[in-house]
Amino acid sequence: MRKAVAVPLSVFGLGLAGLTYASVVERNWFRLRRFDVPVLERGQRPVRILHLSDLHLTPGRSMLINWVRSLGALEPDLVVNTGDSIAHPDAVPSLLHALEPLLSRPGLFVYGSNDLYAPKPKNPARYLWRTSKNERRQHVPSLPWEELGAGMAAEGWLDMNNTTARIKVGDLDVAVAGIHDSHISRDRYDLVAGPAPSDADLRLGVMHSPEPRNMSLFAADGYELLLAGHTHGGQLCIPFYGALVTNCGIDRARVKGLSRHDGAWLHVSAGLGTSPYAPARFACFPEASLLTLVPRR
């Protein structure tokens, strides 16, 4: 007969403390990250882009709602929302309330898979050996994505899912191309393909999931700044090591923050929320980012 292995109570205590920290403290410890992006021509005045992503909002998250509302004080020149905004059928009014101080600013948005399909309980450890790409078995959207998009569009924000547009941002004439979520195979780069307008002051590419194949297409077409979300920055990270997984094709080194891709600047947001069924972050604070576009040196 095997002897039972005694586990010190201190181990359980540490585990409980870690879980409490990850699910109660860090998950609600919102941060604003700031980056300078040298992408403008000399002589052009800097502009500021507020990048929001992955709120996964449910109606009861008052701390998140109030923090997003506080970002209105930044008065950005442009707001870009790269998707996965909601996680509950009744979350659209809460999201629009959170965004209300920002909706008077110029804005753009694309969808993520979780804007269409409600989250379901899953084993979070599955991300250690595979991504969640195309794993959803729902064929009919279960979240009010049309209401979500209509609410933002009614305030003047541009729906950039598989389309192009021109927008005035500060003193800049900006050409934008955006695609729907590649994680559920709704991206149609062919609908935006072609050289970016050469007469624009800035060429901006917007997507939810930072898949290298799409990023390379944007860069090849001349888009100078690419914005994406989806990764949650790894969500559960190891201090001094970083993310274990990215849940898409991008490498771990670029799971969040500012980097380069095929000559273009890339910013991946670690996002502000989590799935309601995995409500924890560790060594990966929830974030929004303020990107100040400045002239190249």
Side-chain angles (χ1 to χ4, degrees):
M1 183 175 181
R2 293 183 178 176
K3 291 183 178 180
V5 178
V7 179
L9 289 178
S10 59
V11 174
F12 289 111
L14 286 173
L16 181 60
L19 180 61
T20 300
Y21 168 79
S23 60
V24 177
V25 178
E26 187 167 320
R27 179 180 180 238
N28 293 300
W29 199 340
F30 310 112
R31 293 187 171 186
L32 179 69
R33 302 183 76 195
R34 298 173 184 263
F35 299 91
D36 287 347
V37 188
V39 72
L40 302 182
E41 297 293 340
R42 290 187 178 182
Q44 291 179 327
R45 295 172 56 184
V47 299
R48 299 186 304 161
I49 298 177
L50 178 64
H51 184 187
L52 304 174
S53 199
D54 297 87
L55 276 74
H56 293 274
L57 193 64
T58 54
R61 294 212 61 196
S62 58
M63 291 179 69
L64 174 55
I65 291 168
N66 291 334
W67 192 84
V68 172
R69 287 183 62 84
S70 75
L71 298 176
L74 297 172
E75 298 186 343
D77 299 293
L78 176 68
V79 184
V80 178
N81 177 2
T82 49
D84 275 5
S85 296
I86 57 174
H88 189 281
D90 300 326
V92 172
S94 297
L95 178 76
L96 295 178
H97 177 64
L99 294 177
E100 181 186 16
L102 295 165
L103 288 172
S104 61
R105 319 297 300 183
L108 313 168
F109 66 91
V110 292
Y111 296 125
S113 61
N114 286 281
D115 293 320
L116 283 72
Y117 302 108
K120 293 183 176 182
K122 299 170 187 173
N123 175 10
R126 74 196 185 285
Y127 291 137
L128 294 176
W129 61 84
R130 65 180 177 88
T131 75
S132 59
K133 181 174 173 61
N134 289 327
E135 71 174 12
R136 298 177 182 275
R137 295 177 181 171
Q138 303 175 65
H139 298 290
V140 178
S142 53
L143 289 178
W145 63 275
E146 292 175 305
E147 179 187 350
L148 168 66
M152 291 185 285
E155 301 297 330
W157 284 19
L158 300 183
D159 180 343
M160 295 307 305
N161 290 284
N162 297 328
T163 192
T164 60
R166 297 287 281 262
I167 186 171
K168 189 74 171 176
V169 179
D171 293 333
L172 302 182
D173 173 26
V174 180
V176 187
I179 53 174
H180 207 307
D181 190 4
S182 59
H183 214 61
I184 49 174
S185 299
R186 290 190 174 229
D187 55 320
R188 289 287 307 278
Y189 194 86
D190 60 295
L191 296 179
V192 303
S198 59
D199 59 341
D201 296 315
L202 174 71
R203 289 158 284 276
L204 175 65
V206 182
M207 69 206 88
H208 176 66
S209 181
E211 291 294 343
R213 62 177 174 82
N214 281 327
M215 297 189 302
S216 292
L217 290 171
F218 275 116
D221 278 341
Y223 290 94
E224 303 152 293
L225 174 60
L226 313 178
L227 303 182
H230 174 71
T231 65
H232 295 196
Q235 188 165 332
L236 301 176
C237 300
I238 297 176
F240 309 110
Y241 178 79
L244 295 172
V245 295
T246 67
N247 195 27
C248 64
I250 200 169
D251 52 285
R252 290 190 309 103
R254 298 185 296 163
V255 71
K256 66 178 179 180
L258 190 66
S259 62
R260 302 301 297 267
H261 184 87
D262 289 352
W265 287 100
L266 167 68
H267 181 261
V268 179
S269 172
L272 283 163
T274 65
S275 166
Y277 297 109
R281 281 180 176 258
F282 191 81
C284 186
F285 291 94
E287 67 178 38
S289 295
L290 188 66
L291 310 177
T292 300
L293 310 189
V294 298
R296 302 182 188 95
R297 295 179 179 85

PDB file of all heavy atoms in Angstrom, residues 2 13 27 30 48 117 167 190 259 270 277:
ATOM      1  N   ARG A   2       0.619   2.150  -0.914  1.00  0.00           N
ATOM      2  CA  ARG A   2       1.437   3.352  -1.015  1.00  0.00           C
ATOM      3  C   ARG A   2       1.129   4.317   0.118  1.00  0.00           C
ATOM      4  O   ARG A   2      -0.016   4.459   0.553  1.00  0.00           O
ATOM      5  CB  ARG A   2       1.194   4.058  -2.351  1.00  0.00           C
ATOM      6  CG  ARG A   2       1.671   3.261  -3.553  1.00  0.00           C
ATOM      7  CD  ARG A   2       1.451   4.069  -4.804  1.00  0.00           C
ATOM      8  NE  ARG A   2       1.939   3.366  -5.971  1.00  0.00           N
ATOM      9  CZ  ARG A   2       1.803   3.829  -7.217  1.00  0.00           C
ATOM     10  NH1 ARG A   2       1.202   4.986  -7.424  1.00  0.00           N
ATOM     11  NH2 ARG A   2       2.282   3.148  -8.235  1.00  0.00           N
ATOM     12  N   GLY A  13      -0.939  27.415   0.676  1.00  0.00           N
ATOM     13  CA  GLY A  13      -1.087  28.836   0.965  1.00  0.00           C
ATOM     14  C   GLY A  13      -0.506  29.719  -0.124  1.00  0.00           C
ATOM     15  O   GLY A  13      -1.119  30.710  -0.525  1.00  0.00           O
ATOM     16  N   ARG A  27      -5.504  41.354 -12.300  1.00  0.00           N
ATOM     17  CA  ARG A  27      -6.550  41.435 -13.331  1.00  0.00           C
ATOM     18  C   ARG A  27      -7.209  42.811 -13.353  1.00  0.00           C
ATOM     19  O   ARG A  27      -7.719  43.245 -14.390  1.00  0.00           O
ATOM     20  CB  ARG A  27      -7.596  40.350 -13.070  1.00  0.00           C
ATOM     21  CG  ARG A  27      -8.757  40.326 -14.048  1.00  0.00           C
ATOM     22  CD  ARG A  27      -9.712  39.215 -13.694  1.00  0.00           C
ATOM     23  NE  ARG A  27     -10.841  39.152 -14.589  1.00  0.00           N
ATOM     24  CZ  ARG A  27     -12.108  39.245 -14.191  1.00  0.00           C
ATOM     25  NH1 ARG A  27     -12.401  39.397 -12.905  1.00  0.00           N
ATOM     26  NH2 ARG A  27     -13.095  39.161 -15.067  1.00  0.00           N
ATOM     27  N   PHE A  30      -5.042  48.041 -13.942  1.00  0.00           N
ATOM     28  CA  PHE A  30      -4.959  48.528 -15.313  1.00  0.00           C
ATOM     29  C   PHE A  30      -3.820  49.541 -15.454  1.00  0.00           C
ATOM     30  O   PHE A  30      -3.588  50.362 -14.566  1.00  0.00           O
ATOM     31  CB  PHE A  30      -6.281  49.174 -15.719  1.00  0.00           C
ATOM     32  CG  PHE A  30      -7.469  48.315 -15.429  1.00  0.00           C
ATOM     33  CD1 PHE A  30      -8.386  48.677 -14.450  1.00  0.00           C
ATOM     34  CD2 PHE A  30      -7.660  47.123 -16.103  1.00  0.00           C
ATOM     35  CE1 PHE A  30      -9.472  47.883 -14.170  1.00  0.00           C
ATOM     36  CE2 PHE A  30      -8.749  46.323 -15.821  1.00  0.00           C
ATOM     37  CZ  PHE A  30      -9.658  46.698 -14.846  1.00  0.00           C
ATOM     38  N   ARG A  48      -1.445  61.456 -31.525  1.00  0.00           N
ATOM     39  CA  ARG A  48      -1.509  60.408 -30.515  1.00  0.00           C
ATOM     40  C   ARG A  48      -2.661  59.451 -30.819  1.00  0.00           C
ATOM     41  O   ARG A  48      -3.798  59.887 -31.039  1.00  0.00           O
ATOM     42  CB  ARG A  48      -1.675  61.022 -29.126  1.00  0.00           C
ATOM     43  CG  ARG A  48      -0.513  61.938 -28.729  1.00  0.00           C
ATOM     44  CD  ARG A  48      -0.644  62.397 -27.293  1.00  0.00           C
ATOM     45  NE  ARG A  48      -1.917  63.063 -27.072  1.00  0.00           N
ATOM     46  CZ  ARG A  48      -2.462  63.242 -25.872  1.00  0.00           C
ATOM     47  NH1 ARG A  48      -1.856  62.797 -24.789  1.00  0.00           N
ATOM     48  NH2 ARG A  48      -3.611  63.872 -25.755  1.00  0.00           N
ATOM     49  N   TYR A 117     -18.900  35.243 -30.920  1.00  0.00           N
ATOM     50  CA  TYR A 117     -19.201  33.977 -30.269  1.00  0.00           C
ATOM     51  C   TYR A 117     -18.953  34.072 -28.773  1.00  0.00           C
ATOM     52  O   TYR A 117     -17.861  34.433 -28.338  1.00  0.00           O
ATOM     53  CB  TYR A 117     -18.344  32.860 -30.866  1.00  0.00           C
ATOM     54  CG  TYR A 117     -18.542  32.706 -32.355  1.00  0.00           C
ATOM     55  CD1 TYR A 117     -17.545  33.104 -33.251  1.00  0.00           C
ATOM     56  CD2 TYR A 117     -19.720  32.186 -32.879  1.00  0.00           C
ATOM     57  CE1 TYR A 117     -17.722  32.979 -34.618  1.00  0.00           C
ATOM     58  CE2 TYR A 117     -19.908  32.061 -34.249  1.00  0.00           C
ATOM     59  CZ  TYR A 117     -18.902  32.454 -35.107  1.00  0.00           C
ATOM     60  OH  TYR A 117     -19.084  32.333 -36.470  1.00  0.00           O
ATOM     61  N   ILE A 167      -9.001  58.927 -43.325  1.00  0.00           N
ATOM     62  CA  ILE A 167      -9.482  59.614 -42.143  1.00  0.00           C
ATOM     63  C   ILE A 167      -8.511  60.729 -41.775  1.00  0.00           C
ATOM     64  O   ILE A 167      -7.293  60.589 -41.958  1.00  0.00           O
ATOM     65  CB  ILE A 167      -9.656  58.614 -40.970  1.00  0.00           C
ATOM     66  CG1 ILE A 167     -10.298  59.301 -39.757  1.00  0.00           C
ATOM     67  CG2 ILE A 167      -8.343  57.954 -40.603  1.00  0.00           C
ATOM     68  CD1 ILE A 167     -10.689  58.326 -38.653  1.00  0.00           C
ATOM     69  N   ASP A 190      -7.657  39.956 -49.476  1.00  0.00           N
ATOM     70  CA  ASP A 190      -7.838  40.239 -50.904  1.00  0.00           C
ATOM     71  C   ASP A 190      -8.750  41.437 -51.153  1.00  0.00           C
ATOM     72  O   ASP A 190      -8.661  42.093 -52.193  1.00  0.00           O
ATOM     73  CB  ASP A 190      -8.399  39.004 -51.617  1.00  0.00           C
ATOM     74  CG  ASP A 190      -9.740  38.569 -51.060  1.00  0.00           C
ATOM     75  OD1 ASP A 190      -9.788  38.156 -49.876  1.00  0.00           O
ATOM     76  OD2 ASP A 190     -10.746  38.625 -51.790  1.00  0.00           O
ATOM     77  N   SER A 259       7.298  46.680 -31.884  1.00  0.00           N
ATOM     78  CA  SER A 259       8.389  45.962 -32.542  1.00  0.00           C
ATOM     79  C   SER A 259       8.341  46.288 -34.028  1.00  0.00           C
ATOM     80  O   SER A 259       7.578  47.152 -34.466  1.00  0.00           O
ATOM     81  CB  SER A 259       8.270  44.453 -32.294  1.00  0.00           C
ATOM     82  OG  SER A 259       7.066  43.944 -32.852  1.00  0.00           O
ATOM     83  N   ALA A 270      -1.556  44.030 -25.168  1.00  0.00           N
ATOM     84  CA  ALA A 270      -1.839  42.919 -24.258  1.00  0.00           C
ATOM     85  C   ALA A 270      -3.280  42.940 -23.779  1.00  0.00           C
ATOM     86  O   ALA A 270      -3.730  41.992 -23.137  1.00  0.00           O
ATOM     87  CB  ALA A 270      -0.899  42.956 -23.057  1.00  0.00           C
ATOM     88  N   TYR A 277     -14.182  32.867 -18.130  1.00  0.00           N
ATOM     89  CA  TYR A 277     -13.869  31.525 -17.648  1.00  0.00           C
ATOM     90  C   TYR A 277     -12.379  31.345 -17.352  1.00  0.00           C
ATOM     91  O   TYR A 277     -11.968  30.264 -16.948  1.00  0.00           O
ATOM     92  CB  TYR A 277     -14.337  30.483 -18.658  1.00  0.00           C
ATOM     93  CG  TYR A 277     -15.830  30.513 -18.840  1.00  0.00           C
ATOM     94  CD1 TYR A 277     -16.393  30.990 -20.025  1.00  0.00           C
ATOM     95  CD2 TYR A 277     -16.674  30.092 -17.825  1.00  0.00           C
ATOM     96  CE1 TYR A 277     -17.767  31.038 -20.192  1.00  0.00           C
ATOM     97  CE2 TYR A 277     -18.055  30.145 -17.981  1.00  0.00           C
ATOM     98  CZ  TYR A 277     -18.595  30.615 -19.157  1.00  0.00           C
ATOM     99  OH  TYR A 277     -19.958  30.668 -19.316  1.00  0.00           O
TER     100      TYR A 277
END
